[in-house]
Amino acid sequence: MDIKFISVELLNYYTGKSSGKQRLSDDIIKRFKDKIDFMFSAPGINDLSRMRSLNIEKIGDHWSARINKQYRIEFDFIKPNTLMILKISKHYE
């Protein structure tokens, strides 16, 4: 699975290059990276939905995967095997 990031901030969270005061805790950033790695390891979109720990669901126009009970990764499918990571959002907000 190919993964792209819509913003430099999200890419920096993933690569560990974010600096200064962060709006998310280190634990959330670590879990974000772990979930992205997990998504990256999926061979295709159909396999992604079978990964039950991600709790993938449709939210409005986007899809989301669970980081923890409070935070979610919002993404879109832009090509058959490509995800665009849009944002980290609070669940139920």
Side-chain angles (χ1 to χ4, degrees):
M1 179 82 52
D2 190 26
I3 297 179
K4 299 183 183 277
F5 298 88
I6 200 163
S7 71
V8 173
E9 178 185 31
L10 291 171
L11 178 61
N12 287 341
Y13 284 153
Y14 178 69
T15 58
K17 295 181 182 178
S18 55
S19 61
K21 186 165 173 25
Q22 300 171 19
R23 65 179 185 92
L24 299 170
S25 71
D26 290 338
D27 181 55
I28 298 299
I29 293 170
K30 181 189 177 311
R31 289 176 187 245
F32 169 72
K33 183 182 181 330
D34 291 345
K35 295 295 179 173
I36 296 295
D37 287 342
F38 196 57
M39 293 165 83
F40 185 71
S41 69
I45 292 171
N46 293 333
D47 300 300
L48 195 63
S49 64
R50 291 185 195 122
M51 296 177 171
R52 296 181 57 81
S53 66
L54 292 176
N55 285 37
I56 293 179
E57 59 188 15
K58 183 104 168 139
I59 297 181
D61 295 338
H62 308 295
W63 292 87
S64 72
R66 181 170 61 183
I67 294 175
N68 65 8
K69 288 186 178 185
Q70 188 178 9
Y71 288 93
R72 303 204 52 92
I73 300 168
E74 290 189 30
F75 62 93
D76 276 333
F77 297 103
I78 57 173
K79 290 182 184 174
N81 287 328
T82 304
L83 298 178
M84 175 65 76
I85 306 299
L86 302 173
K87 64 181 178 176
I88 299 172
S89 63
K90 283 195 174 182
H91 195 43
Y92 300 117
E93 255 188 31

